[in-house]
Every structure is written in C-alpha cells, then in structure tokens.
Amino acid sequence: QTNRPGFACRQENIHEITPFYENTVLQNPDSDTGYANLGYALLITGDVIKAKNAFLESLRINPENTTAQNGLIYLERLMAGQ
C-alpha cells in the first residue's frame, strides 16, 4: 500500500487512480476536491509538476481547500528533500 497524507491506494491500483481523477475533473471542472485528489494521485505516480498544477487549480477554485494546501506543503517538503 502506498500512503500520502490523507490518501492511500493499493500498489496494484496505482496506474488506475490518475485516469480516474483526470476523468473526474473533466466531468466536474469546478471541483476543487477533484483537483486536490488528482494532485495526490499524480504524486503517487511520481508526476510532481502535474501534481503541483492540480493543487494550484484546486486552490484557484477554492482557496480554502485544506487538502490542496496540505498537498502543496507536502510537495514543497518532498522537493526540499525533507
């Protein structure tokens, strides 16, 4: 099982989560929660640039989204090597 703050999935499902959340935001482009979840899915698959963009889009829609805020904090720490 792969764990990130507030997000978990089974190792065998890793490559299924990103398309799932990409589809979610395509169907609901104003979903700050969808973008925050997409950000974590992208982190799990190692795409940190797209993850950051998803978190930022979530916060553009809803600046109070704590999931996206925490995702950016986690990402900044990850990039800093902490």
Side-chain angles (χ1 to χ4, degrees), residues 2-9 13-15 17-19 21-22 25 32-56 58-59 65-78:
T2 300
N3 293 308
R4 298 287 184 251
F7 197 91
C9 76
N13 296 338
I14 277 183
H15 297 292
I17 60 173
T18 302
Y21 287 114
E22 286 173 338
V25 298
D32 60 303
T33 301
Y35 278 102
N37 289 338
L38 176 59
Y40 278 108
L42 289 162
L43 271 180
I44 288 170
T45 60
D47 196 336
V48 295
I49 294 171
K50 286 184 180 179
K52 181 178 181 180
N53 289 337
F55 291 136
L56 291 173
S58 175
L59 292 172
N65 186 307
T66 57
T67 302
Q69 291 170 352
N70 291 335
L72 280 177
I73 291 168
Y74 178 81
L75 184 59
E76 288 171 9
R77 289 179 180 163
L78 182 69

